[in-house]
Amino acid sequence: MFLKSPAFFLLVIFYIFVNVIDTIVKYQNKWIAVALSYCQDIDTAKDIVQEMYIKVLELNKEVNHSYISLIIRSIAIDSKRKDKLIFTDQMEKVALS
């Protein structure tokens, strides 16, 4: 009966959540170093790691170090792409003036 109760379900979800958070936070400096290898700016690297936390929590499943590194790489590439688009757009505005 206890296995079918909402309290048990919430307890399982909480356990998974705590394990995921514990694993991620334990390696935060490693994640920042990985992000720094892509962006060379500490503030941008911290932003990338924060976005990684959000993506991992949205996945709602356990992930390994390789998958987290892949998420960080993907976010860093997207960030560079956005910065390049913004820079190009600003240059076009200057050229048109």
Side-chain angles (χ1 to χ4, degrees):
M1 294 249 182
F2 181 70
L3 296 176
K4 295 181 181 180
S5 71
F8 178 74
F9 177 73
L10 289 175
L11 186 62
V12 169
I13 296 296
F14 180 73
Y15 176 77
I16 292 170
F17 179 76
V18 167
N19 282 337
V20 168
I21 294 297
D22 184 47
T23 301
I24 291 173
V25 171
K26 188 188 309 183
Y27 296 104
Q28 180 166 349
N29 289 335
K30 177 185 176 181
W31 307 139
I32 291 173
V34 170
L36 268 171
S37 71
Y38 293 108
C39 67
Q40 279 57 34
D41 176 39
I42 189 70
D43 293 327
T44 304
K46 288 180 180 180
D47 290 343
I48 290 170
V49 171
Q50 290 297 319
E51 284 187 50
M52 178 271 298
Y53 287 148
I54 293 169
K55 288 192 180 227
V56 168
L57 289 174
E58 287 174 348
L59 289 174
N60 201 17
K61 64 179 181 178
E62 291 191 37
V63 294
N64 60 25
H65 297 279
S66 299
Y67 193 68
I68 290 176
S69 295
L70 183 65
I71 292 171
I72 290 171
R73 179 180 178 270
S74 175
I75 294 169
I77 290 170
D78 288 346
S79 176
K80 282 186 178 183
R81 190 175 296 132
K82 288 177 188 174
D83 289 346
K84 187 175 179 179
L85 288 174
I86 290 170
F87 178 75
T88 303
D89 192 36
Q90 289 174 350
M91 291 302 291
E92 286 176 3
K93 287 179 183 177
V94 170
L96 292 174
S97 298

